[in-house]
Amino acid sequence: MKKLNESYIEIKKSKFIGLIYEVHSEEDVNEIIESLKKEHKKARHIVFAYKIDGKEKSHADKEPSGTTRGLLDIIKMKDLNHTLIVVIRYFGGTLLGSGPLTRTYTKCAALLVKE
């Protein structure tokens, strides 16, 4: 488990922290997510997606359906493997709506893999 990069976006007082990790098992993913939950107790949502060989999964952590699909899309588009992308959201008090929320999660993930 190795953190490869970080990103940060602030939109309408909501803070989005993006993290990308090299992972080799679902146990690695679970350890990282549990650790982040402890570290970011006040975060409203911790969403993630990963690909390990043939296994792909995303988790929206109570965000509206489809708003976090961009995380897995970025992994697929960049042809990444053994990769976990996490975005931690601190709610700023203003609902963003599903369109802006989807774009923000996707942009946060894209910043992590920029060359």
Side-chain angles (χ1 to χ4, degrees), residues 5-22:
N5 201 359
E6 285 186 40
S7 64
Y8 178 82
I9 297 174
E10 188 168 332
I11 306 257
K12 294 185 179 179
K13 297 183 183 174
S14 279
K15 296 170 177 58
F16 296 83
I17 302 164
L19 305 163
I20 186 168
Y21 295 88
E22 179 182 316

Side-chain angles (χ1 to χ4, degrees), residues 66-91:
T67 56
T68 60
R69 71 177 172 264
L71 279 65
L72 199 51
D73 290 346
I74 295 291
I75 290 171
K76 290 177 184 178
M77 196 168 40
K78 293 291 186 174
D79 198 28
L80 301 173
N81 193 16
H82 297 277
T83 302
L84 166 67
I85 292 179
V86 181
V87 181
I88 301 160
R89 180 184 184 194
Y90 285 89
F91 184 62

Side-chain angles (χ1 to χ4, degrees), residues 37 43-48 58-64 68 105:
K37 284 180 180 177
R44 176 72 61 93
H45 305 281
I46 298 179
V47 303
F48 63 91
S58 63
H59 176 72
D61 193 23
K62 300 180 195 133
E63 285 286 37
T68 60
Y105 277 125

Side-chain angles (χ1 to χ4, degrees), residues 2-42:
K2 178 181 165 192
K3 183 164 71 170
L4 304 173
N5 201 359
E6 285 186 40
S7 64
Y8 178 82
I9 297 174
E10 188 168 332
I11 306 257
K12 294 185 179 179
K13 297 183 183 174
S14 279
K15 296 170 177 58
F16 296 83
I17 302 164
L19 305 163
I20 186 168
Y21 295 88
E22 179 182 316
V23 292
H24 296 281
S25 68
E26 289 183 66
E27 290 77 28
D28 287 353
V29 171
N30 293 333
E31 277 183 45
I32 290 167
I33 298 303
E34 288 308 311
S35 173
L36 291 172
K37 284 180 180 177
K38 288 176 186 167
E39 184 181 342
H40 297 274
K41 287 180 182 165
K42 294 187 179 188

